[in-house]
Amino acid sequence: MSLPPRSIAIVLGTRPELVKLTDLVRLLGPAAHLVHTGQHYDEELSGRFLTELGLPEPTFLTGVGGQPRAVQISAALAQLDALFTAEPPLAVVVQGDTNAALAGALSANARDIPLLHVEAGLRSHDRNMPEEHNRVLIDSIADVLCAATEDNRANLLAEGVAASRIALTGNTVVEAVRNQLPGAAERAALLDRHGLTADGYVLATVHRPENTDSAEALRAILTELGALATPGRPVVLPLHPRTRARVEAAGLTDLLAPLTVTAPLGYSEFLALARHAALLVSDSGGIQEECTVLGRPLVVVRRSTERPEAMADFADLVEPGRAIGEAARRRLAEGPEGLARLAALPSPFGDGLASDRIVALLAAVAAPAELAAAA
């Protein structure tokens, strides 16, 4: 059974959502109607991601990017309501915990359109995180909750969500990494172009407001990263424009000197470098999942995490400060044996078939009468 063209609205606004929903969009084909709120949009980052991932041109909203959280959500809500009135979808898909996802969820709920939440049930139990509020709110109104792991499903059941609304799908990040990771020859060429040796460097990213909006936290992170860099083991730091601005505003530019700073990387290029890094250091949520598919160790620089599954084997959670260096050196000391151990472990986030399962769920939600007639 095929769904009508543009009948499934996929509302997103950030680069991680683009990455994680790419395979779902491809499987839906003409049925997918991509709606980009512009929460994160500039040509260097989101623009190149759309091109690189081979995604169709989205419907873009306006006046959302760069605004405070409440303005982002309200501006997106008003435009989404008009869009869904003019072109009612059979179902709406949102992913994760962004302001864009919450706006999409509320718009679907207001128009009584079936809502499917990809990556439901993540919980950090940290109410200081705006994302925690977003994901709880979305889960409370979603009609179909796609839980990536058993832990996510347990979180939802503990909150009183009916088991009939929850589907255990795995996380779409697994197929995203597998499909976007360049082949061995291309990876080797990329390393050569960057002057890097496999297993001979550290790859780091810093972008979360809890780390960049605090000069003290940012100083601590950059200091620890600089101390990890040696002539034979560079620390590569693709620098997000927002992070660069915060570094300059805080007068911390000198701390970049020991680091190998690059412009932001495309997703495939980042995966290629991550695949051969001796260690990853990051505050990203997505990298906590990606490291488990790539089989690489990660030091997570955050107060809390909504992805405890990665902490069992692949990652260590630390706050800004000396704990970064201590965890990093402990992981690096494990050497080739440590990397081999992680490479042999399956990802706790699924088998790479999450997008296929989600398409089947969408078919059931969007056209239940047709399914019943065909049964």
Side-chain angles (χ1 to χ4, degrees):
M1 183 198 69
S2 59
L3 292 162
R6 290 168 65 89
S7 61
I8 306 297
I10 300 173
V11 181
L12 47 77
T14 68
R15 293 171 294 286
E17 290 165 295
L18 285 170
V19 165
K20 288 188 173 183
L21 292 172
T22 290
D23 287 278
L24 179 62
V25 173
R26 287 178 181 159
L27 288 169
L28 285 171
H33 177 194
L34 209 55
V35 183
H36 196 310
T37 71
Q39 179 177 329
H40 287 176
Y41 189 81
D42 59 61
E43 197 53 44
E44 182 182 17
L45 294 170
S46 279
R48 71 188 279 189
F49 266 61
L50 283 162
T51 304
E52 182 183 336
L53 296 170
L55 291 170
E57 184 69 14
T59 297
F60 283 106
L61 307 187
T62 60
V64 175
Q67 300 295 325
R69 179 174 176 237
V71 178
Q72 286 193 6
I73 294 167
S74 61
L77 260 175
Q79 294 173 73
L80 287 168
D81 190 63
L83 182 64
F84 292 166
T85 301
E87 192 177 349
L90 294 176
V92 172
V93 176
V94 297
Q95 191 274 331
D97 50 27
T98 65
N99 296 337
L102 179 57
L106 291 170
S107 300
N109 181 259
R111 290 283 163 189
D112 202 25
I113 302 166
L115 172 66
L116 186 143
H117 186 199
V118 177
E119 206 176 82
L122 275 69
R123 296 292 181 268
S124 67
H125 306 292
D126 180 355
R127 289 178 58 82
N128 290 313
M129 295 177 66
E131 298 93 339
E132 182 77 354
H133 298 276
N134 288 355
R135 62 177 76 101
V136 170
L137 288 166
I138 296 167
D139 283 339
S140 70
I141 59 174
D143 299 288
V144 180
L145 295 95
C146 299
T149 70
E150 285 287 1
D151 283 355
N152 298 156
R153 184 173 182 273
N155 287 338
L156 294 167
L157 291 171
E159 292 173 8
V161 176
S164 59
R165 288 168 55 201
I166 307 169
L168 189 64
T169 59
N171 195 306
T172 59
V173 74
V174 179
E175 52 262 41
V177 171
R178 289 178 180 172
N179 292 337
Q180 295 298 321
L181 180 67
E186 191 179 343
R187 297 200 305 269
L190 271 170
L191 289 182
D192 192 51
R193 192 154 71 241
H194 284 278
L196 300 171
T197 304
D199 304 343
Y201 59 94
V202 174
L203 180 62
T205 70
V206 187
H207 75 276
R208 290 185 63 81
E210 71 182 72
N211 289 329
T212 58
D213 290 356
S214 162
E216 181 183 2
L218 195 52
R219 179 189 300 276
I221 293 167
L222 294 176
T223 299
E224 291 296 324
L225 289 176
L228 284 174
T230 67
R233 189 187 61 219
V235 175
V236 180
L237 179 67
L239 202 54
H240 191 284
R242 187 176 179 279
T243 305
R244 184 182 287 277
R246 292 293 189 273
V247 169
E248 292 170 357
L252 302 175
T253 307
D254 288 353
L255 294 178
L256 297 177
L259 306 173
T260 303
V261 177
T262 75
L265 304 175
Y267 187 59
S268 292
E269 187 174 4
F270 179 81
L271 288 179
L273 295 190
R275 168 65 181 81
H276 296 291
L279 176 72
L280 304 167
V281 181
S282 179
D283 56 10
S284 161
I287 294 175
Q288 293 176 55
E289 298 161 345
E290 290 155 359
C291 75
T292 71
V293 186
L294 297 169
R296 295 280 133 166
L298 168 68
V299 175
V300 182
V301 187
R302 287 171 53 164
R303 286 191 308 260
S304 59
T305 180
E306 60 283 359
R307 296 170 173 87
E309 296 91 346
M311 303 302 135
D313 295 291
F314 293 91
D316 300 292
L317 180 67
V318 301
E319 295 193 19
R322 292 174 59 185
I324 297 172
E326 292 167 359
R329 289 182 178 85
R330 189 166 60 247
R331 286 283 185 172
L332 288 167
E334 294 179 2
E337 294 80 10
L339 294 176
R341 180 180 68 85
L342 294 183
L345 294 174
S347 169
F349 295 106
D351 57 5
L353 296 174
S355 296
D356 295 88
R357 295 185 183 103
I358 293 166
V359 168
L361 291 165
L362 278 169
V365 169
E370 287 88 335
L371 281 178

